[in-house]
Amino acid sequence: MTRKVAVFIFLSLLVSGCVKRGTQSNTNSPDAKSQVEKVKPTAGTGNVQGKVLYNGKPVANIDVRLCEKFNRFLDGCGGQIYKAKTDQDGDYVITNVPPKEYEAITVRIFDTDGYVFATTSFGISATKYNVQADKTLFVDPTNLFKADLKLTDPKAGSNISGDAVEFKWDAYPDAAYYKLTLTPDNHLSESRYTNQRVDGTSFKATKALDQGGYQWKVEAFNAADKKLAESAEDITFNVQ
């Protein structure tokens, strides 16, 4: 992936109360509550523990950061930053964190410059993480995705007829279905699709496309509805 901006992923995480002595969870999710505390916090500080997955499997050696401040326009992180890496089980523990409320956790997307992080209110604000002294805050797993799905037709920069337009892309490993989004430059145009589910690797527009410029992208999902990949960049083309 070549984009050097943070990637916002909506996990809809909400803070909840303590679930057992010495631990707390930031969600009501069984995934968070089922985690086993790996490291006891140093007296007077707290730990933050979570897991990173791709296609349902743990991912090792991934950078994770707890951020004092949330910044939508950089890489999601600001203020004091606390770091950790995932182990072979995909688990991370950010240790010796001063007790207070933190505004973001960011997870690097493999070896790229992109990050994912949890948000609420449709991406307007980050999930809050309330770290308490002598406790471990468990957070829901983060599901990574890649940006290497290949779009094949229409090609970037092409000029095509608006009749019977068919979108095609390469099959992605372990994908159960795809979502296609077509966005016209003219915001008044009705020739658009948003998260159109497609069970194969092609989709034919149900009606002729209006004249003008368009962008399109495709996302791949596994059978558990977890996002596996997206097209590396939006493809632009023109309907004459």
Side-chain angles (χ1 to χ4, degrees):
M1 184 169 73
T2 59
R3 286 174 293 178
K4 295 185 177 181
V5 297
V7 181
F8 301 164
I9 194 169
F10 301 150
L11 300 180
S12 301
L13 305 182
L14 300 174
V15 176
S16 70
C18 296
V19 294
K20 60 181 178 179
R21 183 187 179 98
T23 68
Q24 61 177 139
S25 169
N26 77 314
T27 75
N28 291 316
S29 165
D31 290 334
K33 292 182 179 180
S34 64
Q35 295 184 62
V36 177
E37 188 176 46
K38 288 202 163 190
V39 180
K40 291 291 184 183
T42 300
T45 70
N47 290 348
V48 177
Q49 182 174 322
K51 182 181 286 287
V52 177
L53 305 171
Y54 174 73
N55 196 17
K57 299 177 182 178
V59 187
N61 203 37
I62 296 293
D63 293 325
V64 182
R65 302 177 304 179
L66 175 69
C67 316
E68 182 181 21
K69 300 296 182 181
F70 170 62
N71 190 325
R72 295 183 62 208
F73 302 103
L74 294 175
D75 60 5
C77 235
Q80 188 65 43
I81 299 172
Y82 300 88
K83 302 179 180 179
K85 280 184 178 289
T86 57
D87 60 19
Q88 64 182 4
D89 297 317
D91 295 326
Y92 64 86
V93 183
I94 303 173
T95 59
N96 303 325
V97 177
K100 62 179 296 183
E101 186 175 80
Y102 294 83
E103 295 187 355
I105 290 177
T106 70
V107 180
R108 186 184 294 274
I109 304 175
F110 298 102
D111 57 354
T112 73
D113 293 324
Y115 288 82
V116 297
F117 58 96
T119 61
T120 58
S121 302
F122 302 99
I124 296 174
S125 62
T127 296
K128 305 297 184 181
Y129 299 90
N130 184 23
V131 177
Q132 298 182 22
D134 307 319
K135 295 183 179 180
T136 291
L137 175 66
F138 290 143
V139 300
D140 270 357
T142 298
N143 292 278
L144 295 183
F145 57 89
K146 299 181 181 181
D148 55 359
L149 190 154
K150 185 178 180 181
L151 307 180
T152 58
D153 196 55
K155 292 180 170 48
S158 60
N159 296 301
I160 65 173
S161 167
D163 296 324
V165 177
E166 187 171 12
F167 300 90
K168 300 179 181 179
W169 54 92
D170 287 349
Y172 201 84
D174 297 322
Y177 65 94
Y178 303 86
K179 289 184 180 180
L180 177 146
T181 296
L182 174 69
T183 307
D185 293 344
N186 179 2
H187 70 279
L188 296 178
S189 172
E190 295 183 359
S191 296
R192 65 176 69 241
Y193 295 93
T194 303
N195 293 327
Q196 173 71 45
R197 177 170 172 144
V198 183
D199 291 328
T201 56
S202 67
F203 174 78
K204 183 175 290 187
T206 55
K207 59 183 179 180
L209 301 184
D210 296 337
Q211 291 185 353
Y214 290 84
Q215 293 185 345
W216 71 291
K217 67 178 183 179
V218 174
E219 299 168 303
F221 293 81
N222 65 16
D225 300 319
K226 300 301 182 183
K227 184 174 174 179
L228 298 175
E230 65 183 11
S231 43
E233 57 184 331
D234 294 354
I235 294 295
T236 61
F237 65 92
N238 292 287
V239 171
Q240 297 181 327

